[in-house]
Amino acid sequence: MNVKPIQIVSNKEKIEFDSDFGSNQDPYIIVPYGPEGVGKTRLALSGPSGVGVIAFEMKSYQSLKIMEAHRTEELGKPFKIFKPSDPSKFLVNSRYVDSLDDAKQKEFYKTTYQRAIDTAYGLLENSEVKLLMMDKFSTFCRFVEFGINGPAGK
């Protein structure tokens, strides 16, 4: 299908969007953003089977369980979601972290966000992963900010 490209100008630079996907078979990476309850997780799980998930909140796992069952029934075959078998690898116990001094908090967040980045690259290298989702991406961004500047912005 031949679709006319769209040109956007941002800071005097032209950015072109087209519909030519060529032969790219890489996994998709989406970053849904919005208020709680609008369907960010549902959006990511509406795509192809083989979703790699890095979840930063425990409630994400309940949504994953429900959507996995729903999509499996809908497709008539297993819908694959790859998630950590140990959710605590990406969950942050705020009470624990708040008890640390500034330098240790900064190191904790740096370790946590680096673990997420390494995991994301590892998932993307697996041919069964068709889409990568960080839930919630804003939480990941906060971890990066705190890992670089510390939670007090120092």
Side-chain angles (χ1 to χ4, degrees):
M1 181 155 95
N2 192 0
V3 177
K4 184 178 176 184
I6 299 170
Q7 289 192 353
I8 308 290
V9 178
S10 174
N11 293 329
K12 299 180 183 176
E13 177 185 4
K14 285 185 183 177
I15 302 170
E16 188 171 285
F17 293 79
D18 65 30
S19 61
D20 179 18
F21 292 101
S23 62
N24 184 4
Q25 296 299 311
D26 291 340
Y28 293 101
I29 302 171
I30 63 169
V31 184
Y33 183 82
E36 190 169 328
V38 297
K40 297 179 296 292
T41 303
R42 180 178 290 270
L43 171 67
L45 297 177
S46 66
S49 181
V51 179
V53 177
I54 301 171
F56 299 105
E57 297 176 351
M58 198 62 200
K59 72 178 191 122
S60 300
Y61 288 91
Q62 184 61 28
S63 297
L64 293 173
K65 185 176 180 181
I66 292 167
M67 285 299 296
E68 183 176 42
H70 173 74
R71 291 301 313 274
T72 294
E73 182 180 331
E74 179 182 79
L75 296 172
K77 60 183 179 181
F79 184 79
K80 295 179 187 175
I81 298 176
F82 301 97
K83 59 194 180 306
S85 51
D86 178 5
S88 70
K89 296 293 182 189
F90 300 102
L91 302 178
V92 171
N93 180 334
S94 297
R95 287 186 204 165
Y96 166 72
V97 177
D98 289 346
S99 72
L100 302 173
D101 65 40
D102 286 351
K104 287 185 180 173
Q105 283 186 32
K106 187 174 176 178
E107 186 57 36
F108 176 88
Y109 284 111
K110 183 176 181 182
T111 300
T112 303
Y113 84 70
Q114 191 58 57
R115 181 183 304 123
I117 291 170
D118 294 345
T119 301
Y121 282 123
L123 285 167
L124 292 171
E125 289 175 5
N126 185 310
S127 63
E128 290 190 76
V129 174
K130 307 299 181 203
L131 185 140
L132 173 68
M133 177 179 79
M134 287 187 171
D135 193 11
K136 293 187 332 190
F137 187 70
S138 58
T139 302
F140 170 75
C141 292
R142 193 177 69 235
F143 291 174
V144 172
E145 179 184 349
F146 290 174
I148 293 170
N149 300 317
K154 298 177 186 174

